[in-house]
Short mmCIF file of all heavy atoms in Angstrom, two decimals:
data_model
loop_
_atom_site.label_atom_id
_atom_site.label_comp_id
_atom_site.label_asym_id
_atom_site.label_seq_id
_atom_site.Cartn_x
_atom_site.Cartn_y
_atom_site.Cartn_z
N TYR A 1 41.63 14.61 -25.53
CA TYR A 1 42.07 14.23 -24.20
C TYR A 1 40.88 13.84 -23.34
O TYR A 1 39.89 14.57 -23.28
CB TYR A 1 42.83 15.38 -23.58
CG TYR A 1 43.19 15.18 -22.13
CD1 TYR A 1 44.22 14.34 -21.79
CD2 TYR A 1 42.49 15.82 -21.14
CE1 TYR A 1 44.55 14.13 -20.46
CE2 TYR A 1 42.81 15.63 -19.82
CZ TYR A 1 43.85 14.79 -19.47
OH TYR A 1 44.18 14.59 -18.17
N GLU A 2 40.98 12.72 -22.68
CA GLU A 2 39.90 12.26 -21.81
C GLU A 2 40.37 12.31 -20.36
O GLU A 2 41.47 11.83 -20.06
CB GLU A 2 39.52 10.83 -22.18
CG GLU A 2 38.28 10.34 -21.50
CD GLU A 2 37.82 9.01 -22.02
OE1 GLU A 2 37.87 8.82 -23.24
OE2 GLU A 2 37.45 8.17 -21.20
N ARG A 3 39.57 12.87 -19.50
CA ARG A 3 39.91 12.95 -18.08
C ARG A 3 39.91 11.57 -17.45
O ARG A 3 39.11 10.73 -17.82
CB ARG A 3 38.92 13.82 -17.33
CG ARG A 3 38.98 15.28 -17.71
CD ARG A 3 38.04 16.05 -16.87
NE ARG A 3 37.93 17.42 -17.38
CZ ARG A 3 37.08 18.30 -16.94
NH1 ARG A 3 36.23 17.99 -16.00
NH2 ARG A 3 37.04 19.50 -17.46
N PRO A 4 40.81 11.34 -16.48
CA PRO A 4 40.82 10.03 -15.81
C PRO A 4 39.53 9.82 -15.03
O PRO A 4 38.93 10.74 -14.53
CB PRO A 4 42.01 10.12 -14.88
CG PRO A 4 42.51 11.51 -14.92
CD PRO A 4 41.84 12.22 -16.04
N ARG A 5 39.11 8.60 -14.91
CA ARG A 5 37.91 8.21 -14.17
C ARG A 5 38.16 8.30 -12.68
O ARG A 5 39.28 8.10 -12.20
CB ARG A 5 37.49 6.78 -14.52
CG ARG A 5 36.98 6.61 -15.91
CD ARG A 5 35.80 7.47 -16.10
NE ARG A 5 34.76 6.77 -16.81
CZ ARG A 5 33.62 7.32 -17.10
NH1 ARG A 5 33.40 8.55 -16.75
NH2 ARG A 5 32.70 6.67 -17.75
N ALA A 6 37.12 8.57 -11.93
CA ALA A 6 37.20 8.57 -10.48
C ALA A 6 37.46 7.15 -9.99
O ALA A 6 37.06 6.18 -10.61
CB ALA A 6 35.89 9.11 -9.87
N ARG A 7 38.14 7.04 -8.87
CA ARG A 7 38.44 5.72 -8.32
C ARG A 7 37.20 5.04 -7.80
O ARG A 7 37.09 3.85 -7.77
CB ARG A 7 39.47 5.85 -7.20
CG ARG A 7 40.83 6.22 -7.72
CD ARG A 7 41.83 6.21 -6.61
NE ARG A 7 43.11 6.66 -7.13
CZ ARG A 7 44.14 6.97 -6.38
NH1 ARG A 7 44.04 6.88 -5.08
NH2 ARG A 7 45.24 7.37 -6.93
N TRP A 8 36.24 5.82 -7.32
CA TRP A 8 34.99 5.28 -6.84
C TRP A 8 33.91 6.27 -7.14
O TRP A 8 34.14 7.46 -7.20
CB TRP A 8 35.05 4.97 -5.34
CG TRP A 8 35.51 6.12 -4.53
CD1 TRP A 8 36.80 6.46 -4.20
CD2 TRP A 8 34.67 7.12 -3.89
NE1 TRP A 8 36.82 7.59 -3.45
CE2 TRP A 8 35.52 8.03 -3.24
CE3 TRP A 8 33.31 7.33 -3.83
CZ2 TRP A 8 35.06 9.13 -2.53
CZ3 TRP A 8 32.85 8.42 -3.14
CH2 TRP A 8 33.72 9.29 -2.47
N GLY A 9 32.71 5.81 -7.38
CA GLY A 9 31.58 6.70 -7.66
C GLY A 9 31.67 7.31 -9.03
O GLY A 9 32.35 6.82 -9.92
N VAL A 10 30.96 8.44 -9.18
CA VAL A 10 30.88 9.08 -10.50
C VAL A 10 32.02 10.10 -10.64
O VAL A 10 32.50 10.65 -9.67
CB VAL A 10 29.50 9.78 -10.69
CG1 VAL A 10 28.37 8.78 -10.64
CG2 VAL A 10 29.29 10.87 -9.68
N SER A 11 32.40 10.33 -11.86
CA SER A 11 33.44 11.29 -12.17
C SER A 11 32.84 12.69 -12.25
O SER A 11 31.61 12.87 -12.27
CB SER A 11 34.10 10.95 -13.51
OG SER A 11 33.21 11.20 -14.56
N CYS A 12 33.67 13.70 -12.32
CA CYS A 12 33.24 15.09 -12.46
C CYS A 12 32.40 15.24 -13.74
O CYS A 12 31.37 15.90 -13.75
CB CYS A 12 34.45 16.01 -12.44
SG CYS A 12 34.05 17.74 -12.21
N ASP A 13 32.88 14.61 -14.82
CA ASP A 13 32.14 14.70 -16.10
C ASP A 13 30.79 14.00 -16.02
O ASP A 13 29.80 14.47 -16.55
CB ASP A 13 32.97 14.07 -17.22
CG ASP A 13 34.15 14.92 -17.62
OD1 ASP A 13 34.19 16.13 -17.30
OD2 ASP A 13 35.08 14.37 -18.25
N ASP A 14 30.73 12.84 -15.34
CA ASP A 14 29.47 12.13 -15.18
C ASP A 14 28.48 12.97 -14.38
O ASP A 14 27.28 13.02 -14.70
CB ASP A 14 29.67 10.79 -14.48
CG ASP A 14 30.45 9.78 -15.29
OD1 ASP A 14 30.50 9.94 -16.54
OD2 ASP A 14 31.02 8.86 -14.72
N GLY A 15 28.95 13.63 -13.32
CA GLY A 15 28.08 14.49 -12.53
C GLY A 15 27.55 15.65 -13.33
O GLY A 15 26.39 16.02 -13.23
N ARG A 16 28.43 16.26 -14.16
CA ARG A 16 27.99 17.34 -15.04
C ARG A 16 26.89 16.88 -15.99
O ARG A 16 25.91 17.55 -16.19
CB ARG A 16 29.19 17.88 -15.84
CG ARG A 16 28.83 19.09 -16.69
CD ARG A 16 29.94 19.45 -17.65
NE ARG A 16 30.14 18.34 -18.58
CZ ARG A 16 31.31 17.92 -18.99
NH1 ARG A 16 32.41 18.49 -18.57
NH2 ARG A 16 31.39 16.90 -19.80
N ASP A 17 27.06 15.67 -16.53
CA ASP A 17 26.04 15.12 -17.42
C ASP A 17 24.73 14.93 -16.70
O ASP A 17 23.65 15.15 -17.28
CB ASP A 17 26.51 13.79 -18.04
CG ASP A 17 27.66 13.96 -19.01
OD1 ASP A 17 27.92 15.12 -19.45
OD2 ASP A 17 28.32 12.97 -19.30
N GLN A 18 24.78 14.50 -15.44
CA GLN A 18 23.56 14.30 -14.65
C GLN A 18 22.83 15.63 -14.44
O GLN A 18 21.60 15.71 -14.53
CB GLN A 18 23.90 13.68 -13.30
CG GLN A 18 22.72 13.40 -12.40
CD GLN A 18 21.86 12.26 -12.94
OE1 GLN A 18 22.20 11.58 -13.88
NE2 GLN A 18 20.72 12.09 -12.31
N VAL A 19 23.59 16.69 -14.17
CA VAL A 19 22.99 18.03 -13.97
C VAL A 19 22.36 18.50 -15.29
O VAL A 19 21.24 19.01 -15.29
CB VAL A 19 24.04 19.02 -13.45
CG1 VAL A 19 23.49 20.43 -13.38
CG2 VAL A 19 24.55 18.58 -12.07
N ARG A 20 23.03 18.30 -16.39
CA ARG A 20 22.45 18.66 -17.71
C ARG A 20 21.17 17.87 -17.98
O ARG A 20 20.19 18.41 -18.45
CB ARG A 20 23.48 18.39 -18.82
CG ARG A 20 24.58 19.40 -18.87
CD ARG A 20 25.51 19.08 -20.02
NE ARG A 20 26.55 20.08 -20.13
CZ ARG A 20 27.69 19.89 -20.77
NH1 ARG A 20 27.95 18.72 -21.35
NH2 ARG A 20 28.58 20.85 -20.82
N TRP A 21 21.18 16.59 -17.64
CA TRP A 21 20.01 15.74 -17.88
C TRP A 21 18.81 16.24 -17.09
O TRP A 21 17.67 16.09 -17.49
CB TRP A 21 20.35 14.29 -17.51
CG TRP A 21 19.24 13.33 -17.83
CD1 TRP A 21 18.99 12.76 -19.02
CD2 TRP A 21 18.26 12.86 -16.91
NE1 TRP A 21 17.90 11.92 -18.91
CE2 TRP A 21 17.42 11.98 -17.65
CE3 TRP A 21 17.99 13.09 -15.57
CZ2 TRP A 21 16.35 11.34 -17.05
CZ3 TRP A 21 16.92 12.44 -14.99
CH2 TRP A 21 16.12 11.57 -15.72
N ALA A 22 19.08 16.87 -15.93
CA ALA A 22 18.02 17.41 -15.08
C ALA A 22 17.48 18.75 -15.59
O ALA A 22 16.64 19.37 -14.93
CB ALA A 22 18.53 17.56 -13.65
N GLY A 23 17.96 19.21 -16.72
CA GLY A 23 17.41 20.42 -17.34
C GLY A 23 18.23 21.67 -17.15
O GLY A 23 17.77 22.76 -17.51
N PHE A 24 19.41 21.57 -16.61
CA PHE A 24 20.27 22.74 -16.43
C PHE A 24 21.17 22.93 -17.64
O PHE A 24 21.47 21.96 -18.34
CB PHE A 24 21.13 22.58 -15.18
CG PHE A 24 20.34 22.64 -13.89
CD1 PHE A 24 19.85 21.49 -13.31
CD2 PHE A 24 20.11 23.85 -13.25
CE1 PHE A 24 19.13 21.52 -12.14
CE2 PHE A 24 19.40 23.90 -12.06
CZ PHE A 24 18.91 22.73 -11.52
N ARG A 25 21.58 24.16 -17.87
CA ARG A 25 22.48 24.48 -18.97
C ARG A 25 23.67 25.26 -18.42
O ARG A 25 23.65 25.72 -17.29
CB ARG A 25 21.77 25.34 -20.03
CG ARG A 25 20.58 24.63 -20.64
CD ARG A 25 21.03 23.46 -21.52
NE ARG A 25 19.94 22.66 -22.00
CZ ARG A 25 19.60 21.44 -21.57
NH1 ARG A 25 20.30 20.89 -20.62
NH2 ARG A 25 18.60 20.79 -22.08
N ARG A 26 24.68 25.41 -19.27
CA ARG A 26 25.92 26.13 -18.87
C ARG A 26 26.45 25.60 -17.54
O ARG A 26 26.68 26.35 -16.60
CB ARG A 26 25.70 27.63 -18.81
CG ARG A 26 25.34 28.25 -20.12
CD ARG A 26 25.23 29.74 -19.98
NE ARG A 26 24.72 30.35 -21.19
CZ ARG A 26 24.36 31.61 -21.27
NH1 ARG A 26 24.45 32.40 -20.23
NH2 ARG A 26 23.89 32.09 -22.40
N VAL A 27 26.63 24.29 -17.47
CA VAL A 27 27.04 23.63 -16.24
C VAL A 27 28.57 23.73 -16.12
O VAL A 27 29.30 23.27 -17.00
CB VAL A 27 26.60 22.16 -16.23
CG1 VAL A 27 27.03 21.49 -14.95
CG2 VAL A 27 25.08 22.07 -16.40
N VAL A 28 29.01 24.35 -15.03
CA VAL A 28 30.45 24.57 -14.81
C VAL A 28 30.86 23.94 -13.47
O VAL A 28 30.28 24.25 -12.44
CB VAL A 28 30.76 26.11 -14.75
CG1 VAL A 28 32.24 26.34 -14.45
CG2 VAL A 28 30.34 26.77 -16.04
N PRO A 29 31.84 23.03 -13.49
CA PRO A 29 32.29 22.43 -12.23
C PRO A 29 32.95 23.48 -11.34
O PRO A 29 33.75 24.29 -11.80
CB PRO A 29 33.34 21.40 -12.67
CG PRO A 29 33.16 21.22 -14.13
CD PRO A 29 32.54 22.46 -14.64
N LEU A 30 32.59 23.47 -10.04
CA LEU A 30 33.22 24.36 -9.08
C LEU A 30 34.16 23.58 -8.14
O LEU A 30 35.21 24.07 -7.79
CB LEU A 30 32.15 25.09 -8.24
CG LEU A 30 31.23 26.04 -8.98
CD1 LEU A 30 30.21 26.62 -8.03
CD2 LEU A 30 32.02 27.12 -9.71
N ASP A 31 33.72 22.37 -7.72
CA ASP A 31 34.52 21.56 -6.84
C ASP A 31 34.18 20.08 -7.05
O ASP A 31 33.03 19.68 -6.82
CB ASP A 31 34.27 21.95 -5.38
CG ASP A 31 35.09 21.17 -4.37
OD1 ASP A 31 35.99 20.42 -4.80
OD2 ASP A 31 34.83 21.30 -3.19
N CYS A 32 35.14 19.31 -7.49
CA CYS A 32 34.93 17.88 -7.73
C CYS A 32 35.85 17.03 -6.87
O CYS A 32 36.18 15.91 -7.21
CB CYS A 32 35.11 17.58 -9.22
SG CYS A 32 33.82 18.23 -10.27
N GLY A 33 36.25 17.55 -5.73
CA GLY A 33 37.24 16.87 -4.93
C GLY A 33 36.73 16.11 -3.71
O GLY A 33 37.48 15.42 -3.06
N GLY A 34 35.44 16.27 -3.38
CA GLY A 34 34.94 15.65 -2.15
C GLY A 34 33.84 14.63 -2.39
O GLY A 34 33.73 14.08 -3.48
N ARG A 35 33.06 14.41 -1.35
CA ARG A 35 31.95 13.47 -1.46
C ARG A 35 30.81 14.00 -2.31
O ARG A 35 29.97 13.24 -2.81
CB ARG A 35 31.40 13.12 -0.08
CG ARG A 35 32.36 12.34 0.74
CD ARG A 35 31.76 12.01 2.09
NE ARG A 35 32.73 11.24 2.87
CZ ARG A 35 32.44 10.70 4.00
NH1 ARG A 35 31.24 10.81 4.52
NH2 ARG A 35 33.35 10.00 4.65
N ARG A 36 30.73 15.32 -2.41
CA ARG A 36 29.73 15.97 -3.26
C ARG A 36 30.44 16.76 -4.35
O ARG A 36 31.39 17.49 -4.08
CB ARG A 36 28.87 16.91 -2.45
CG ARG A 36 27.94 16.19 -1.50
CD ARG A 36 27.01 17.15 -0.83
NE ARG A 36 26.07 16.46 0.02
CZ ARG A 36 25.04 17.06 0.60
NH1 ARG A 36 24.83 18.35 0.44
NH2 ARG A 36 24.19 16.35 1.34
N LEU A 37 29.95 16.59 -5.56
CA LEU A 37 30.48 17.34 -6.72
C LEU A 37 29.60 18.59 -6.82
O LEU A 37 28.37 18.53 -6.80
CB LEU A 37 30.35 16.51 -7.98
CG LEU A 37 30.91 15.07 -7.89
CD1 LEU A 37 30.55 14.29 -9.14
CD2 LEU A 37 32.39 15.09 -7.64
N THR A 38 30.23 19.75 -6.96
CA THR A 38 29.50 21.02 -6.93
C THR A 38 29.66 21.72 -8.28
O THR A 38 30.77 21.85 -8.79
CB THR A 38 30.02 21.92 -5.80
OG1 THR A 38 29.94 21.20 -4.56
CG2 THR A 38 29.20 23.19 -5.70
N TYR A 39 28.52 22.20 -8.77
CA TYR A 39 28.49 22.86 -10.11
C TYR A 39 27.71 24.15 -10.01
O TYR A 39 26.78 24.29 -9.20
CB TYR A 39 27.79 21.96 -11.15
CG TYR A 39 28.42 20.61 -11.26
CD1 TYR A 39 28.02 19.56 -10.44
CD2 TYR A 39 29.44 20.38 -12.17
CE1 TYR A 39 28.61 18.31 -10.54
CE2 TYR A 39 30.04 19.15 -12.28
CZ TYR A 39 29.62 18.12 -11.46
OH TYR A 39 30.21 16.88 -11.54
N GLU A 40 28.04 25.09 -10.89
CA GLU A 40 27.20 26.26 -11.13
C GLU A 40 26.47 25.99 -12.42
O GLU A 40 27.08 25.53 -13.39
CB GLU A 40 28.05 27.51 -11.27
CG GLU A 40 27.22 28.78 -11.50
CD GLU A 40 28.11 29.99 -11.59
OE1 GLU A 40 28.86 30.27 -10.64
OE2 GLU A 40 28.02 30.68 -12.65
N ALA A 41 25.18 26.22 -12.44
CA ALA A 41 24.37 25.90 -13.63
C ALA A 41 23.22 26.90 -13.76
O ALA A 41 22.80 27.52 -12.81
CB ALA A 41 23.83 24.48 -13.51
N ARG A 42 22.69 26.99 -15.00
CA ARG A 42 21.59 27.90 -15.26
C ARG A 42 20.35 27.13 -15.68
O ARG A 42 20.44 26.11 -16.35
CB ARG A 42 21.98 28.90 -16.35
CG ARG A 42 23.12 29.81 -15.89
CD ARG A 42 23.45 30.86 -16.91
NE ARG A 42 22.33 31.66 -17.30
CZ ARG A 42 21.94 32.78 -16.67
NH1 ARG A 42 22.60 33.22 -15.66
NH2 ARG A 42 20.92 33.48 -17.12
N ARG A 43 19.18 27.67 -15.26
CA ARG A 43 17.90 27.10 -15.69
C ARG A 43 16.86 28.21 -15.54
O ARG A 43 16.79 28.87 -14.51
CB ARG A 43 17.54 25.90 -14.83
CG ARG A 43 16.23 25.26 -15.29
CD ARG A 43 16.03 23.91 -14.69
NE ARG A 43 15.84 24.01 -13.23
CZ ARG A 43 15.62 22.96 -12.46
NH1 ARG A 43 15.57 21.74 -12.97
NH2 ARG A 43 15.45 23.13 -11.17
N HIS A 44 16.02 28.37 -16.57
CA HIS A 44 14.93 29.33 -16.56
C HIS A 44 15.41 30.74 -16.19
O HIS A 44 14.72 31.46 -15.45
CB HIS A 44 13.81 28.89 -15.62
CG HIS A 44 13.26 27.54 -15.93
ND1 HIS A 44 12.66 27.24 -17.13
CD2 HIS A 44 13.22 26.41 -15.18
CE1 HIS A 44 12.28 25.99 -17.11
NE2 HIS A 44 12.61 25.45 -15.95
N GLY A 45 16.56 31.11 -16.66
CA GLY A 45 17.09 32.45 -16.42
C GLY A 45 17.79 32.65 -15.08
O GLY A 45 18.34 33.71 -14.83
N GLY A 46 17.74 31.68 -14.20
CA GLY A 46 18.40 31.78 -12.90
C GLY A 46 19.69 31.00 -12.86
O GLY A 46 19.93 30.11 -13.67
N THR A 47 20.53 31.35 -11.91
CA THR A 47 21.80 30.68 -11.71
C THR A 47 21.73 29.89 -10.40
O THR A 47 21.26 30.44 -9.38
CB THR A 47 22.98 31.68 -11.67
OG1 THR A 47 22.99 32.41 -12.89
CG2 THR A 47 24.30 30.95 -11.51
N PHE A 48 22.16 28.66 -10.41
CA PHE A 48 22.03 27.74 -9.30
C PHE A 48 23.35 27.08 -8.93
O PHE A 48 24.17 26.90 -9.81
CB PHE A 48 21.01 26.62 -9.61
CG PHE A 48 19.62 27.12 -9.90
CD1 PHE A 48 19.27 27.59 -11.13
CD2 PHE A 48 18.67 27.10 -8.90
CE1 PHE A 48 18.01 28.07 -11.40
CE2 PHE A 48 17.38 27.55 -9.14
CZ PHE A 48 17.03 28.05 -10.39
N ILE A 49 23.47 26.71 -7.66
CA ILE A 49 24.56 25.84 -7.22
C ILE A 49 23.92 24.45 -7.06
O ILE A 49 22.94 24.32 -6.31
CB ILE A 49 25.15 26.31 -5.88
CG1 ILE A 49 25.77 27.71 -6.02
CG2 ILE A 49 26.19 25.29 -5.37
CD1 ILE A 49 26.96 27.77 -6.98
N VAL A 50 24.44 23.49 -7.78
CA VAL A 50 23.89 22.13 -7.79
C VAL A 50 24.94 21.17 -7.26
O VAL A 50 26.10 21.21 -7.70
CB VAL A 50 23.46 21.72 -9.21
CG1 VAL A 50 22.83 20.35 -9.21
CG2 VAL A 50 22.53 22.75 -9.83
N GLN A 51 24.56 20.33 -6.31
CA GLN A 51 25.48 19.34 -5.75
C GLN A 51 24.99 17.94 -6.10
O GLN A 51 23.78 17.64 -6.01
CB GLN A 51 25.60 19.48 -4.23
CG GLN A 51 26.33 20.77 -3.85
CD GLN A 51 26.60 20.82 -2.37
OE1 GLN A 51 25.78 20.39 -1.56
NE2 GLN A 51 27.75 21.35 -1.99
N VAL A 52 25.95 17.10 -6.48
CA VAL A 52 25.70 15.72 -6.88
C VAL A 52 26.48 14.81 -5.95
O VAL A 52 27.67 15.07 -5.66
CB VAL A 52 26.14 15.49 -8.34
CG1 VAL A 52 26.00 14.04 -8.75
CG2 VAL A 52 25.36 16.40 -9.28
N SER A 53 25.83 13.75 -5.48
CA SER A 53 26.52 12.75 -4.64
C SER A 53 27.51 11.99 -5.50
O SER A 53 27.15 11.44 -6.55
CB SER A 53 25.50 11.77 -4.06
OG SER A 53 26.15 10.64 -3.52
N ARG A 54 28.77 11.97 -5.07
CA ARG A 54 29.78 11.24 -5.83
C ARG A 54 29.46 9.72 -5.83
O ARG A 54 29.64 9.04 -6.82
CB ARG A 54 31.17 11.44 -5.26
CG ARG A 54 32.22 10.66 -6.05
CD ARG A 54 33.61 10.83 -5.54
NE ARG A 54 34.17 12.16 -5.73
CZ ARG A 54 34.66 12.60 -6.89
NH1 ARG A 54 34.63 11.87 -7.94
NH2 ARG A 54 35.19 13.79 -6.93
N ARG A 55 28.92 9.23 -4.73
CA ARG A 55 28.66 7.79 -4.60
C ARG A 55 27.52 7.34 -5.51
O ARG A 55 27.65 6.37 -6.26
CB ARG A 55 28.32 7.44 -3.17
CG ARG A 55 27.99 5.98 -3.01
CD ARG A 55 27.81 5.61 -1.57
NE ARG A 55 29.12 5.57 -0.96
CZ ARG A 55 29.36 5.08 0.24
NH1 ARG A 55 28.36 4.65 0.98
NH2 ARG A 55 30.58 5.05 0.72
N SER A 56 26.38 8.06 -5.45
CA SER A 56 25.18 7.59 -6.19
C SER A 56 24.97 8.27 -7.53
O SER A 56 24.26 7.75 -8.40
CB SER A 56 23.95 7.80 -5.33
OG SER A 56 23.68 9.20 -5.17
N GLY A 57 25.52 9.49 -7.70
CA GLY A 57 25.27 10.25 -8.92
C GLY A 57 23.97 11.04 -8.87
O GLY A 57 23.61 11.68 -9.84
N ASP A 58 23.27 11.01 -7.73
CA ASP A 58 22.01 11.73 -7.57
C ASP A 58 22.27 13.19 -7.23
O ASP A 58 23.21 13.52 -6.51
CB ASP A 58 21.17 11.13 -6.46
CG ASP A 58 20.71 9.74 -6.76
OD1 ASP A 58 20.58 9.38 -7.97
OD2 ASP A 58 20.44 8.95 -5.81
N ILE A 59 21.38 14.07 -7.69
CA ILE A 59 21.42 15.46 -7.29
C ILE A 59 20.87 15.54 -5.87
O ILE A 59 19.78 15.05 -5.58
CB ILE A 59 20.59 16.33 -8.24
CG1 ILE A 59 21.26 16.37 -9.63
CG2 ILE A 59 20.42 17.74 -7.70
CD1 ILE A 59 20.51 17.08 -10.69
N VAL A 60 21.67 16.10 -4.96
CA VAL A 60 21.30 16.13 -3.55
C VAL A 60 20.99 17.54 -3.04
O VAL A 60 20.42 17.70 -1.97
CB VAL A 60 22.39 15.46 -2.67
CG1 VAL A 60 22.49 13.99 -2.96
CG2 VAL A 60 23.73 16.17 -2.83
N SER A 61 21.34 18.57 -3.83
CA SER A 61 21.07 19.93 -3.39
C SER A 61 21.02 20.86 -4.60
O SER A 61 21.86 20.76 -5.50
CB SER A 61 22.18 20.41 -2.44
OG SER A 61 22.02 21.77 -2.11
N VAL A 62 20.03 21.76 -4.60
CA VAL A 62 19.92 22.80 -5.62
C VAL A 62 19.59 24.07 -4.88
O VAL A 62 18.56 24.18 -4.19
CB VAL A 62 18.82 22.48 -6.65
CG1 VAL A 62 18.68 23.62 -7.65
CG2 VAL A 62 19.07 21.18 -7.35
N ARG A 63 20.46 25.07 -5.00
CA ARG A 63 20.24 26.39 -4.36
C ARG A 63 20.38 27.49 -5.41
O ARG A 63 21.36 27.50 -6.15
CB ARG A 63 21.24 26.61 -3.26
CG ARG A 63 21.08 25.67 -2.07
CD ARG A 63 22.18 25.88 -1.07
NE ARG A 63 23.46 25.63 -1.75
CZ ARG A 63 24.63 26.07 -1.36
NH1 ARG A 63 24.74 26.81 -0.31
NH2 ARG A 63 25.74 25.78 -2.03
N GLU A 64 19.43 28.38 -5.44
CA GLU A 64 19.50 29.49 -6.38
C GLU A 64 20.45 30.55 -5.82
O GLU A 64 20.42 30.87 -4.64
CB GLU A 64 18.13 30.11 -6.61
CG GLU A 64 18.15 31.13 -7.73
CD GLU A 64 16.77 31.52 -8.20
OE1 GLU A 64 15.77 31.15 -7.57
OE2 GLU A 64 16.70 32.20 -9.26
N MET A 65 21.28 31.11 -6.69
CA MET A 65 22.19 32.17 -6.31
C MET A 65 21.46 33.48 -6.51
O MET A 65 20.76 33.68 -7.50
CB MET A 65 23.45 32.18 -7.21
CG MET A 65 24.31 30.95 -7.00
SD MET A 65 25.73 30.91 -8.13
CE MET A 65 26.61 32.38 -7.63
N TYR A 66 21.58 34.39 -5.54
CA TYR A 66 20.92 35.68 -5.64
C TYR A 66 21.92 36.78 -5.85
O TYR A 66 23.01 36.74 -5.45
CB TYR A 66 20.11 35.96 -4.36
CG TYR A 66 18.97 35.01 -4.22
CD1 TYR A 66 19.08 33.92 -3.33
CD2 TYR A 66 17.83 35.15 -4.96
CE1 TYR A 66 18.03 33.03 -3.19
CE2 TYR A 66 16.77 34.26 -4.78
CZ TYR A 66 16.88 33.22 -3.92
OH TYR A 66 15.82 32.35 -3.79
#
């Protein structure tokens, strides 16, 4: 089964791939409904909230969860 593509910008799956490409692992979508796609991801033993711009596909925010 393949998820439908976003009408504009990057899809939730494309955003997840971008976060993985940036070196994060265990990338889990949290919210893919707005202008920013939000994921929980792990890197170097820490857990992070990573946001990707739906329009450009760029990572726009990385915050470590404490």
Side-chain angles (χ1 to χ4, degrees):
Y1 172 75
E2 190 172 319
R3 292 184 189 172
R5 291 300 224 180
R7 290 185 184 169
W8 52 273
V10 299
S11 70
C12 194
D13 288 342
D14 292 339
R16 184 190 64 220
D17 292 344
Q18 182 70 8
V19 174
R20 285 182 177 160
W21 185 83
F24 291 91
R25 299 292 173 253
R26 296 184 188 171
V27 180
V28 177
L30 297 179
D31 181 9
C32 290
R35 292 181 180 188
R36 291 186 176 188
L37 311 172
T38 305
Y39 304 88
E40 180 179 304
R42 295 184 55 89
R43 181 167 66 179
H44 303 300
T47 302
F48 297 83
I49 298 296
V50 183
Q51 291 187 323
V52 175
S53 165
R54 180 180 290 282
R55 177 174 286 190
S56 68
D58 294 334
I59 292 174
V60 294
S61 174
V62 177
R63 294 175 300 159
E64 188 167 10
M65 293 177 62
Y66 295 101

